[in-house]
Amino acid sequence: MRDSLRESNHDFRASTQLFNSLDPAKIDGDLDVINRGKQRGEVNQPPKTAKNLDDVEHAIVERVEDEKKAAHHTLEDNLQLLGGRLAGLDFEEQFGLIRQTNAASVSDFKASVAVGLDELHGLRRALNDAEKEHAWFKEKHGLVRAARVQHGAAHIFRLSLLLFLFLVETAMNGNFLAKGNEQGFFGGILEAAAFSFINIGAALLLAVFCARLVTHRSFFVKFVGIISILFYIGLAISINLALAHYREVSG
C-alpha cells in the first residue's frame, strides 16, 4: 500500500523542465521487463534467428512512442498558445505608438529648450548688468568686502521689535493720558498711539535714510549722517516734552 501511494503516475524523472526524460526504472516496474525477459529467455523466446520484435519489445516501443506522441501534442499546444499570445501583443502597433510618442516627445523637448534658452538669455543679460553695477559700486566707494544681504529672519525680528516698542510705549502713555481724557482709557490709548507713531516713525525714517550715512567713506556724507542723528535726538526730546506738556494740560 505504501509503495503504491508513493509511486508516481507518470514515466518521467522529476524535473523542472517542460519535456522530462523517461524513467527506465518506472517503465521497468510497470512492464516487469526483467522478470518477463528471464521467463522468455528460459524458453529461448524469441529465437536468435527472429528478426521481428516480440511482445515485450513491442510493449516497450509502444510505451516510448506513446510518450513521444504526448510530448509532441504538448509541444503543439504550447506553440499554439505562444502564437496566440504573440498575436495578442501586437508588437507592430506597439512599436508604432512608441515611435509616434517618441517623435512628439522630442518635438516638445525642443520647444521647451527654445523657450528655456529665451528665458536664460534675458536672465543672463540681467545678471551681467547686475555684476557690472556691483563692480562699479565697489570701485566707486573703494569697497573690498562682499555685499551684505539682509535675511528674512533678521528683517522679521526688526519689524517685531518695532511693533513691540510701539505697543509698550502706547500702553504706558495711554495709561497716563487716560486720566484727563473724556473717553477714558480708550481715548488715552488713541492719543498715545498717535504720539508713538510720530516718535517711532520719525526714528525709523531717520535710521533708514540718514543715520546709516555715518558708515559712508565720504566725510561730507558722514557729517550729514551725524547731523541727522543729532536732529533726531532733538526731535525725540521735543516730542516727549510736547507729550508731557499735553498730559499736564489735559490732566
PDB file of all heavy atoms in Angstrom, residues 15-42:
ATOM      1  N   SER A  15      11.641  16.653 -12.593  1.00  0.00           N
ATOM      2  CA  SER A  15      12.492  17.716 -13.113  1.00  0.00           C
ATOM      3  C   SER A  15      11.650  18.965 -13.292  1.00  0.00           C
ATOM      4  O   SER A  15      10.416  18.915 -13.322  1.00  0.00           O
ATOM      5  CB  SER A  15      13.124  17.287 -14.447  1.00  0.00           C
ATOM      6  OG  SER A  15      13.844  18.357 -15.024  1.00  0.00           O
ATOM      7  N   THR A  16      12.336  20.114 -13.410  1.00  0.00           N
ATOM      8  CA  THR A  16      11.642  21.387 -13.646  1.00  0.00           C
ATOM      9  C   THR A  16      11.521  21.705 -15.127  1.00  0.00           C
ATOM     10  O   THR A  16      10.970  22.749 -15.487  1.00  0.00           O
ATOM     11  CB  THR A  16      12.410  22.528 -12.953  1.00  0.00           C
ATOM     12  OG1 THR A  16      13.753  22.563 -13.440  1.00  0.00           O
ATOM     13  CG2 THR A  16      12.424  22.331 -11.446  1.00  0.00           C
ATOM     14  N   GLN A  17      12.019  20.854 -16.006  1.00  0.00           N
ATOM     15  CA  GLN A  17      11.949  21.092 -17.436  1.00  0.00           C
ATOM     16  C   GLN A  17      10.569  20.730 -17.968  1.00  0.00           C
ATOM     17  O   GLN A  17       9.838  19.926 -17.379  1.00  0.00           O
ATOM     18  CB  GLN A  17      13.018  20.275 -18.158  1.00  0.00           C
ATOM     19  CG  GLN A  17      14.448  20.640 -17.758  1.00  0.00           C
ATOM     20  CD  GLN A  17      15.472  19.793 -18.479  1.00  0.00           C
ATOM     21  OE1 GLN A  17      15.114  18.901 -19.247  1.00  0.00           O
ATOM     22  NE2 GLN A  17      16.739  20.066 -18.228  1.00  0.00           N
ATOM     23  N   LEU A  18      10.225  21.356 -19.127  1.00  0.00           N
ATOM     24  CA  LEU A  18       8.923  21.083 -19.730  1.00  0.00           C
ATOM     25  C   LEU A  18       8.862  19.668 -20.290  1.00  0.00           C
ATOM     26  O   LEU A  18       7.864  18.965 -20.127  1.00  0.00           O
ATOM     27  CB  LEU A  18       8.642  22.116 -20.835  1.00  0.00           C
ATOM     28  CG  LEU A  18       7.296  21.972 -21.547  1.00  0.00           C
ATOM     29  CD1 LEU A  18       6.148  22.124 -20.559  1.00  0.00           C
ATOM     30  CD2 LEU A  18       7.185  23.006 -22.665  1.00  0.00           C
ATOM     31  N   PHE A  19       9.928  19.225 -20.977  1.00  0.00           N
ATOM     32  CA  PHE A  19       9.997  17.869 -21.528  1.00  0.00           C
ATOM     33  C   PHE A  19      10.995  17.077 -20.687  1.00  0.00           C
ATOM     34  O   PHE A  19      12.210  17.234 -20.832  1.00  0.00           O
ATOM     35  CB  PHE A  19      10.435  17.895 -22.999  1.00  0.00           C
ATOM     36  CG  PHE A  19       9.480  18.660 -23.877  1.00  0.00           C
ATOM     37  CD1 PHE A  19       9.785  19.938 -24.306  1.00  0.00           C
ATOM     38  CD2 PHE A  19       8.274  18.108 -24.254  1.00  0.00           C
ATOM     39  CE1 PHE A  19       8.911  20.640 -25.105  1.00  0.00           C
ATOM     40  CE2 PHE A  19       7.389  18.804 -25.058  1.00  0.00           C
ATOM     41  CZ  PHE A  19       7.702  20.079 -25.475  1.00  0.00           C
ATOM     42  N   ASN A  20      10.469  16.241 -19.830  1.00  0.00           N
ATOM     43  CA  ASN A  20      11.313  15.482 -18.914  1.00  0.00           C
ATOM     44  C   ASN A  20      11.833  14.209 -19.579  1.00  0.00           C
ATOM     45  O   ASN A  20      11.281  13.718 -20.571  1.00  0.00           O
ATOM     46  CB  ASN A  20      10.527  15.118 -17.654  1.00  0.00           C
ATOM     47  CG  ASN A  20      10.057  16.357 -16.913  1.00  0.00           C
ATOM     48  OD1 ASN A  20      10.771  17.339 -16.845  1.00  0.00           O
ATOM     49  ND2 ASN A  20       8.846  16.295 -16.368  1.00  0.00           N
ATOM     50  N   SER A  21      12.894  13.676 -19.012  1.00  0.00           N
ATOM     51  CA  SER A  21      13.475  12.423 -19.512  1.00  0.00           C
ATOM     52  C   SER A  21      12.669  11.234 -18.990  1.00  0.00           C
ATOM     53  O   SER A  21      12.111  11.270 -17.885  1.00  0.00           O
ATOM     54  CB  SER A  21      14.935  12.299 -19.056  1.00  0.00           C
ATOM     55  OG  SER A  21      15.696  13.395 -19.539  1.00  0.00           O
ATOM     56  N   LEU A  22      12.612  10.186 -19.810  1.00  0.00           N
ATOM     57  CA  LEU A  22      11.911   8.978 -19.389  1.00  0.00           C
ATOM     58  C   LEU A  22      12.639   8.320 -18.225  1.00  0.00           C
ATOM     59  O   LEU A  22      13.867   8.359 -18.132  1.00  0.00           O
ATOM     60  CB  LEU A  22      11.801   7.995 -20.554  1.00  0.00           C
ATOM     61  CG  LEU A  22      10.832   8.388 -21.676  1.00  0.00           C
ATOM     62  CD1 LEU A  22      10.928   7.382 -22.814  1.00  0.00           C
ATOM     63  CD2 LEU A  22       9.406   8.465 -21.162  1.00  0.00           C
ATOM     64  N   ASP A  23      11.859   7.698 -17.378  1.00  0.00           N
ATOM     65  CA  ASP A  23      12.409   6.994 -16.221  1.00  0.00           C
ATOM     66  C   ASP A  23      12.402   5.497 -16.525  1.00  0.00           C
ATOM     67  O   ASP A  23      11.343   4.843 -16.449  1.00  0.00           O
ATOM     68  CB  ASP A  23      11.572   7.300 -14.982  1.00  0.00           C
ATOM     69  CG  ASP A  23      12.228   6.772 -13.716  1.00  0.00           C
ATOM     70  OD1 ASP A  23      13.310   6.166 -13.818  1.00  0.00           O
ATOM     71  OD2 ASP A  23      11.644   6.971 -12.630  1.00  0.00           O
ATOM     72  N   PRO A  24      13.550   4.911 -16.893  1.00  0.00           N
ATOM     73  CA  PRO A  24      13.574   3.466 -17.228  1.00  0.00           C
ATOM     74  C   PRO A  24      13.120   2.591 -16.073  1.00  0.00           C
ATOM     75  O   PRO A  24      12.468   1.555 -16.283  1.00  0.00           O
ATOM     76  CB  PRO A  24      15.038   3.217 -17.584  1.00  0.00           C
ATOM     77  CG  PRO A  24      15.582   4.564 -17.965  1.00  0.00           C
ATOM     78  CD  PRO A  24      14.859   5.531 -17.096  1.00  0.00           C
ATOM     79  N   ALA A  25      13.456   2.984 -14.859  1.00  0.00           N
ATOM     80  CA  ALA A  25      13.051   2.175 -13.707  1.00  0.00           C
ATOM     81  C   ALA A  25      11.536   2.130 -13.575  1.00  0.00           C
ATOM     82  O   ALA A  25      10.950   1.089 -13.230  1.00  0.00           O
ATOM     83  CB  ALA A  25      13.689   2.735 -12.441  1.00  0.00           C
ATOM     84  N   LYS A  26      10.871   3.257 -13.860  1.00  0.00           N
ATOM     85  CA  LYS A  26       9.411   3.288 -13.776  1.00  0.00           C
ATOM     86  C   LYS A  26       8.785   2.407 -14.857  1.00  0.00           C
ATOM     87  O   LYS A  26       7.828   1.649 -14.607  1.00  0.00           O
ATOM     88  CB  LYS A  26       8.936   4.737 -13.934  1.00  0.00           C
ATOM     89  CG  LYS A  26       7.427   4.919 -13.919  1.00  0.00           C
ATOM     90  CD  LYS A  26       6.852   4.550 -12.569  1.00  0.00           C
ATOM     91  CE  LYS A  26       5.379   4.947 -12.469  1.00  0.00           C
ATOM     92  NZ  LYS A  26       4.545   4.367 -13.514  1.00  0.00           N
ATOM     93  N   ILE A  27       9.318   2.507 -16.066  1.00  0.00           N
ATOM     94  CA  ILE A  27       8.788   1.666 -17.148  1.00  0.00           C
ATOM     95  C   ILE A  27       9.046   0.186 -16.856  1.00  0.00           C
ATOM     96  O   ILE A  27       8.194  -0.678 -17.097  1.00  0.00           O
ATOM     97  CB  ILE A  27       9.421   2.086 -18.486  1.00  0.00           C
ATOM     98  CG1 ILE A  27       9.032   3.543 -18.806  1.00  0.00           C
ATOM     99  CG2 ILE A  27       8.982   1.165 -19.607  1.00  0.00           C
ATOM    100  CD1 ILE A  27       9.688   4.078 -20.059  1.00  0.00           C
ATOM    101  N   ASP A  28      10.228  -0.102 -16.323  1.00  0.00           N
ATOM    102  CA  ASP A  28      10.547  -1.491 -15.972  1.00  0.00           C
ATOM    103  C   ASP A  28       9.593  -2.008 -14.914  1.00  0.00           C
ATOM    104  O   ASP A  28       9.127  -3.161 -14.969  1.00  0.00           O
ATOM    105  CB  ASP A  28      11.994  -1.573 -15.484  1.00  0.00           C
ATOM    106  CG  ASP A  28      12.385  -2.980 -15.060  1.00  0.00           C
ATOM    107  OD1 ASP A  28      11.858  -3.938 -15.662  1.00  0.00           O
ATOM    108  OD2 ASP A  28      13.208  -3.113 -14.134  1.00  0.00           O
ATOM    109  N   GLY A  29       9.267  -1.163 -13.927  1.00  0.00           N
ATOM    110  CA  GLY A  29       8.346  -1.606 -12.889  1.00  0.00           C
ATOM    111  C   GLY A  29       6.946  -1.841 -13.417  1.00  0.00           C
ATOM    112  O   GLY A  29       6.251  -2.760 -12.967  1.00  0.00           O
ATOM    113  N   ASP A  30       6.507  -1.005 -14.367  1.00  0.00           N
ATOM    114  CA  ASP A  30       5.160  -1.168 -14.912  1.00  0.00           C
ATOM    115  C   ASP A  30       5.064  -2.391 -15.835  1.00  0.00           C
ATOM    116  O   ASP A  30       4.086  -3.149 -15.785  1.00  0.00           O
ATOM    117  CB  ASP A  30       4.750   0.097 -15.668  1.00  0.00           C
ATOM    118  CG  ASP A  30       4.583   1.281 -14.731  1.00  0.00           C
ATOM    119  OD1 ASP A  30       4.433   1.058 -13.510  1.00  0.00           O
ATOM    120  OD2 ASP A  30       4.622   2.443 -15.215  1.00  0.00           O
ATOM    121  N   LEU A  31       6.053  -2.576 -16.686  1.00  0.00           N
ATOM    122  CA  LEU A  31       6.001  -3.675 -17.666  1.00  0.00           C
ATOM    123  C   LEU A  31       6.646  -4.965 -17.160  1.00  0.00           C
ATOM    124  O   LEU A  31       6.528  -6.006 -17.827  1.00  0.00           O
ATOM    125  CB  LEU A  31       6.692  -3.237 -18.964  1.00  0.00           C
ATOM    126  CG  LEU A  31       6.084  -2.010 -19.663  1.00  0.00           C
ATOM    127  CD1 LEU A  31       6.876  -1.683 -20.923  1.00  0.00           C
ATOM    128  CD2 LEU A  31       4.619  -2.259 -20.011  1.00  0.00           C
ATOM    129  N   ASP A  32       7.324  -4.893 -16.020  1.00  0.00           N
ATOM    130  CA  ASP A  32       8.009  -6.075 -15.464  1.00  0.00           C
ATOM    131  C   ASP A  32       8.939  -6.688 -16.513  1.00  0.00           C
ATOM    132  O   ASP A  32       8.888  -7.885 -16.822  1.00  0.00           O
ATOM    133  CB  ASP A  32       6.983  -7.107 -14.983  1.00  0.00           C
ATOM    134  CG  ASP A  32       7.621  -8.146 -14.069  1.00  0.00           C
ATOM    135  OD1 ASP A  32       8.768  -7.908 -13.617  1.00  0.00           O
ATOM    136  OD2 ASP A  32       6.972  -9.170 -13.815  1.00  0.00           O
ATOM    137  N   VAL A  33       9.789  -5.845 -17.078  1.00  0.00           N
ATOM    138  CA  VAL A  33      10.638  -6.246 -18.198  1.00  0.00           C
ATOM    139  C   VAL A  33      11.644  -7.317 -17.780  1.00  0.00           C
ATOM    140  O   VAL A  33      11.873  -8.302 -18.498  1.00  0.00           O
ATOM    141  CB  VAL A  33      11.354  -5.007 -18.773  1.00  0.00           C
ATOM    142  CG1 VAL A  33      12.328  -5.418 -19.875  1.00  0.00           C
ATOM    143  CG2 VAL A  33      10.338  -4.012 -19.311  1.00  0.00           C
ATOM    144  N   ILE A  34      12.252  -7.159 -16.620  1.00  0.00           N
ATOM    145  CA  ILE A  34      13.314  -8.088 -16.206  1.00  0.00           C
ATOM    146  C   ILE A  34      12.755  -9.498 -15.999  1.00  0.00           C
ATOM    147  O   ILE A  34      13.295 -10.492 -16.524  1.00  0.00           O
ATOM    148  CB  ILE A  34      13.996  -7.568 -14.933  1.00  0.00           C
ATOM    149  CG1 ILE A  34      14.696  -6.228 -15.221  1.00  0.00           C
ATOM    150  CG2 ILE A  34      14.995  -8.598 -14.405  1.00  0.00           C
ATOM    151  CD1 ILE A  34      15.327  -5.605 -14.004  1.00  0.00           C
ATOM    152  N   ASN A  35      11.668  -9.590 -15.262  1.00  0.00           N
ATOM    153  CA  ASN A  35      11.109 -10.931 -14.998  1.00  0.00           C
ATOM    154  C   ASN A  35      10.584 -11.580 -16.273  1.00  0.00           C
ATOM    155  O   ASN A  35      10.810 -12.783 -16.521  1.00  0.00           O
ATOM    156  CB  ASN A  35       9.988 -10.824 -13.968  1.00  0.00           C
ATOM    157  CG  ASN A  35      10.522 -10.402 -12.604  1.00  0.00           C
ATOM    158  OD1 ASN A  35      11.666 -10.725 -12.264  1.00  0.00           O
ATOM    159  ND2 ASN A  35       9.709  -9.690 -11.828  1.00  0.00           N
ATOM    160  N   ARG A  36       9.907 -10.785 -17.080  1.00  0.00           N
ATOM    161  CA  ARG A  36       9.394 -11.356 -18.325  1.00  0.00           C
ATOM    162  C   ARG A  36      10.539 -11.742 -19.260  1.00  0.00           C
ATOM    163  O   ARG A  36      10.473 -12.734 -19.990  1.00  0.00           O
ATOM    164  CB  ARG A  36       8.463 -10.346 -19.001  1.00  0.00           C
ATOM    165  CG  ARG A  36       7.181 -10.107 -18.213  1.00  0.00           C
ATOM    166  CD  ARG A  36       6.330  -9.033 -18.851  1.00  0.00           C
ATOM    167  NE  ARG A  36       5.855  -9.461 -20.168  1.00  0.00           N
ATOM    168  CZ  ARG A  36       5.127  -8.687 -20.980  1.00  0.00           C
ATOM    169  NH1 ARG A  36       4.834  -7.440 -20.594  1.00  0.00           N
ATOM    170  NH2 ARG A  36       4.721  -9.155 -22.151  1.00  0.00           N
ATOM    171  N   GLY A  37      11.626 -10.969 -19.211  1.00  0.00           N
ATOM    172  CA  GLY A  37      12.784 -11.322 -20.033  1.00  0.00           C
ATOM    173  C   GLY A  37      13.420 -12.630 -19.585  1.00  0.00           C
ATOM    174  O   GLY A  37      13.841 -13.455 -20.408  1.00  0.00           O
ATOM    175  N   LYS A  38      13.506 -12.817 -18.257  1.00  0.00           N
ATOM    176  CA  LYS A  38      14.064 -14.080 -17.752  1.00  0.00           C
ATOM    177  C   LYS A  38      13.186 -15.269 -18.152  1.00  0.00           C
ATOM    178  O   LYS A  38      13.678 -16.330 -18.560  1.00  0.00           O
ATOM    179  CB  LYS A  38      14.192 -14.010 -16.231  1.00  0.00           C
ATOM    180  CG  LYS A  38      15.296 -13.076 -15.754  1.00  0.00           C
ATOM    181  CD  LYS A  38      15.364 -13.079 -14.232  1.00  0.00           C
ATOM    182  CE  LYS A  38      16.479 -12.165 -13.734  1.00  0.00           C
ATOM    183  NZ  LYS A  38      16.553 -12.160 -12.251  1.00  0.00           N
ATOM    184  N   GLN A  39      11.880 -15.076 -17.984  1.00  0.00           N
ATOM    185  CA  GLN A  39      10.968 -16.173 -18.318  1.00  0.00           C
ATOM    186  C   GLN A  39      11.052 -16.536 -19.799  1.00  0.00           C
ATOM    187  O   GLN A  39      11.117 -17.720 -20.168  1.00  0.00           O
ATOM    188  CB  GLN A  39       9.534 -15.785 -17.949  1.00  0.00           C
ATOM    189  CG  GLN A  39       9.310 -15.634 -16.451  1.00  0.00           C
ATOM    190  CD  GLN A  39       7.917 -15.130 -16.128  1.00  0.00           C
ATOM    191  OE1 GLN A  39       7.097 -14.926 -17.045  1.00  0.00           O
ATOM    192  NE2 GLN A  39       7.647 -14.945 -14.832  1.00  0.00           N
ATOM    193  N   ARG A  40      11.079 -15.536 -20.648  1.00  0.00           N
ATOM    194  CA  ARG A  40      11.134 -15.821 -22.076  1.00  0.00           C
ATOM    195  C   ARG A  40      12.517 -16.312 -22.476  1.00  0.00           C
ATOM    196  O   ARG A  40      12.677 -17.090 -23.434  1.00  0.00           O
ATOM    197  CB  ARG A  40      10.764 -14.564 -22.872  1.00  0.00           C
ATOM    198  CG  ARG A  40       9.301 -14.162 -22.671  1.00  0.00           C
ATOM    199  CD  ARG A  40       8.972 -12.891 -23.434  1.00  0.00           C
ATOM    200  NE  ARG A  40       9.095 -13.081 -24.870  1.00  0.00           N
ATOM    201  CZ  ARG A  40       8.171 -13.634 -25.658  1.00  0.00           C
ATOM    202  NH1 ARG A  40       7.023 -14.077 -25.119  1.00  0.00           N
ATOM    203  NH2 ARG A  40       8.366 -13.776 -26.957  1.00  0.00           N
ATOM    204  N   GLY A  41      13.541 -15.908 -21.741  1.00  0.00           N
ATOM    205  CA  GLY A  41      14.877 -16.405 -22.044  1.00  0.00           C
ATOM    206  C   GLY A  41      15.033 -17.875 -21.696  1.00  0.00           C
ATOM    207  O   GLY A  41      15.781 -18.610 -22.357  1.00  0.00           O
ATOM    208  N   GLU A  42      14.341 -18.303 -20.650  1.00  0.00           N
ATOM    209  CA  GLU A  42      14.430 -19.712 -20.267  1.00  0.00           C
ATOM    210  C   GLU A  42      13.834 -20.627 -21.328  1.00  0.00           C
ATOM    211  O   GLU A  42      14.273 -21.765 -21.493  1.00  0.00           O
ATOM    212  CB  GLU A  42      13.720 -19.917 -18.930  1.00  0.00           C
ATOM    213  CG  GLU A  42      14.449 -19.251 -17.766  1.00  0.00           C
ATOM    214  CD  GLU A  42      13.671 -19.385 -16.473  1.00  0.00           C
ATOM    215  OE1 GLU A  42      12.516 -19.889 -16.534  1.00  0.00           O
ATOM    216  OE2 GLU A  42      14.178 -18.952 -15.406  1.00  0.00           O
TER     217      GLU A  42
END
